Amino acid sequence: MTLSIAPFKLAAQVNETPVEYSAFSVYESANTDLIIDKVKTKYGLGVAGIKIGKSTYYNTQISMSLGVGYHPNYTVSSFGTDFSGPVHAKLFEFDIVRLITVPVFGTVNTKLTFSERSYSASKLLGVRNGTSLKTNSQAKFESINLQFGKEVDITNGITLHPFFGIQKWSMWADGTANSSNYTVNKKVNTSNLDPMVGLKTKFNLFKDNKASLDVIFRQLTADNRVSTLEIKGAIQF
């Protein structure tokens, strides 16, 4: 009788677990332009949004994040010309986090993430050799990340979570420059498998709110090798 009743008790406990809501912001920047097929591509991100998460079976948590960003006067170099104007960004992420037990290390946090980050700019303006140019461009960065980490309690209410992992990523970009005399179009795409490492800090904010700060270093390898730094802050409410 005990074995047959236990699963139903587990299901009841899971159903009572509340949905968690967090507000977050992300800023990511690369140390240099990413070169794809001999074309320089600027990589960066700035968004803010909402994360929704819930605990499920077997020490597992699932979550989804949606974020948007806007820069009113962003400057990029393309087609040998500097362009400036508004840029829009979007972020979508889906996470599965599970605690597992590993000999010697004890409880280890594993995380599988699908991430999609897109950028669009339709009104970038520039001047080349006295000719006014207008360019529009779109780019999308997708990745599947697998992370392993361990939480360490530092003091009451403060936890450090160092982690490392790998990311399978792909990126494509499409840009068109127009003038009164000609139109030029460039399309690039690439993919690779690269390492990542980071540190998450969890702490209590205003006593009742849980907060976190993530610092993540990634490597992207195309025609050249680029290092990126991502800073992510979140507060649960």
Side-chain angles (χ1 to χ4, degrees), residues 69-128:
Y70 174 76
H71 195 296
N73 193 30
Y74 194 66
T75 299
V76 297
S77 295
S78 182
F79 305 101
T81 305
D82 290 335
F83 294 89
S84 60
V87 174
H88 300 264
K90 296 179 182 179
L91 176 145
F92 169 78
E93 288 186 345
F94 181 78
D95 300 323
I96 301 176
V97 179
R98 185 178 180 185
L99 297 177
I100 62 174
T101 301
V102 178
V104 180
F105 294 98
T107 301
V108 174
N109 183 299
T110 62
K111 182 178 181 181
L112 181 65
T113 302
F114 169 77
S115 176
E116 179 181 285
R117 305 174 180 209
S118 59
Y119 319 83
S120 63
S122 59
K123 298 179 180 179
L124 297 179
L125 303 177
V127 177
R128 183 178 185 183

Side-chain angles (χ1 to χ4, degrees), residues 106-197:
T107 301
V108 174
N109 183 299
T110 62
K111 182 178 181 181
L112 181 65
T113 302
F114 169 77
S115 176
E116 179 181 285
R117 305 174 180 209
S118 59
Y119 319 83
S120 63
S122 59
K123 298 179 180 179
L124 297 179
L125 303 177
V127 177
R128 183 178 185 183
N129 297 327
T131 302
S132 297
L133 299 175
K134 178 181 178 181
T135 184
N136 61 80
S137 62
Q138 299 82 38
K140 181 179 292 186
F141 183 93
E142 294 182 342
S143 66
I144 297 177
N145 309 325
L146 179 61
Q147 300 175 16
F148 301 92
K150 185 173 179 62
E151 292 191 354
V152 180
D153 291 329
I154 301 302
T155 61
N156 185 25
I158 300 178
T159 303
L160 294 183
H161 177 195
F163 60 87
F164 70 94
I166 56 174
Q167 59 171 349
K168 174 62 179 177
W169 63 272
S170 62
M171 182 177 181
W172 69 263
D174 185 352
T176 302
N178 302 281
S179 74
S180 57
N181 300 318
Y182 61 86
T183 298
V184 179
N185 177 261
K186 287 184 179 180
K187 295 182 180 180
V188 296
N189 66 82
T190 191
S191 62
N192 215 329
L193 183 69
D194 283 308
M196 60 189 300
V197 64

Side-chain angles (χ1 to χ4, degrees), residues 39-73:
V39 177
K40 290 185 178 181
T41 304
K42 195 174 185 65
Y43 180 83
L45 179 76
V47 299
I50 297 294
K51 179 178 180 180
I52 303 173
K54 182 175 175 60
S55 296
T56 60
Y57 298 96
Y58 307 114
N59 295 320
T60 302
Q61 184 181 52
I62 59 174
S63 62
M64 179 178 67
S65 302
L66 296 172
V68 295
Y70 174 76
H71 195 296
N73 193 30

